[in-house]
Amino acid sequence: DAMVIQNPRYQVTQFGKPVTLSCSQTLNHNVMYWYQQKSSQAPKLLFHYYDKDFNNEADTPDNFQSRRPNTSFCFLDIRSPGLGDAAMYLCATSRAGVETQYFGPGTRLLVL
Amino acid sequence: ELKVEQNPLFLSMQEGKNYTIYCNYSTTSDRLYWYRQDPGKSLESLFVLLSNGAVKQEGRLMASLDTKARLSTLHITAAVHDLSATYFCAVGSAGGTSYGKLTFGQGTILTVHP
């Protein structure tokens, strides 16, 4: 089945230690999104790629970076995680901006 | 700036009862999405509403969109326990670099009890 896959599902890191989260998709969608969702809150968009074009949200901290080496893969890099970065990170894809976004299972990040 | 507000934020329902969740948004859009999220899980797409007057139904859930009133509703008919989850509405932005961006409501935590 076509799907959005995120690895790892759970990630524990230390304060200040860089971490990379991975997202891959078999849907061949051209748009990929990264969201941060904290407990009991709505998902918050960090950035998205429309093909190779990177679009950063204005309030996304510089600590968060992203890479999209090809259509299928997208990475979220957190350069120096703080305690406040502990959250669920959701990757989503869509074929074009008007269509439904399909979400991966998420990566739950814990910062010690 | 687009704002999306849901109400109620918490909804406790008895099985078999009907209720409606409301989603209001602040700027023009004709793309409205409803998602379901179970605890600790990801978001599951329920409905996509792409025009004024759109109505979609799946099982005990029915969603509608009134773009003139900037309002979408999610109606629950004869609730069952399996519907317990958090429901999010999300509004799509159009144009420029915002193309495709979703702005989510706060979510409505639905609990259905016997």
Side-chain angles (χ1 to χ4, degrees), chain B residues 25-74:
Chain B
Y25 54 98
S26 61
T27 64
T28 302
S29 175
D30 58 0
R31 292 182 292 127
L32 193 295
Y33 305 82
W34 284 96
Y35 287 89
R36 168 181 171 145
Q37 187 174 38
D38 291 302
K41 300 292 180 66
S42 189
L43 278 76
E44 173 192 355
S45 176
L46 292 175
F47 299 108
V48 182
L49 303 167
L50 298 178
S51 61
N52 186 41
V55 177
K56 296 219 175 152
Q57 182 162 6
E58 180 74 34
R60 300 174 188 274
L61 301 178
M62 183 173 71
S64 66
L65 177 62
D66 181 343
T67 58
K68 294 179 182 177
R70 298 177 186 168
L71 170 69
S72 179
T73 61
L74 180 66

Side-chain angles (χ1 to χ4, degrees), chain A residues 33 35 37 42 45 48 50 55 57 88 90 97-98 100-101 103-105, chain B residues 31 33 35 37 40 42-43 45 48 50 88 97 99-102 104-105:
Chain A
Y33 309 80
Y35 290 86
Q37 187 180 26
L45 182 65
H48 74 277
Y50 199 120
N55 297 278
E57 292 302 298
M88 173 81 90
L90 297 165
V98 292
T100 301
Q101 292 184 21
F103 284 80
Chain B
R31 292 182 292 127
Y33 305 82
Y35 287 89
Q37 187 174 38
S42 189
L43 278 76
S45 176
V48 182
L50 298 178
F88 290 98
T97 58
Y99 193 66
K101 174 181 173 179
L102 292 181
F104 283 83

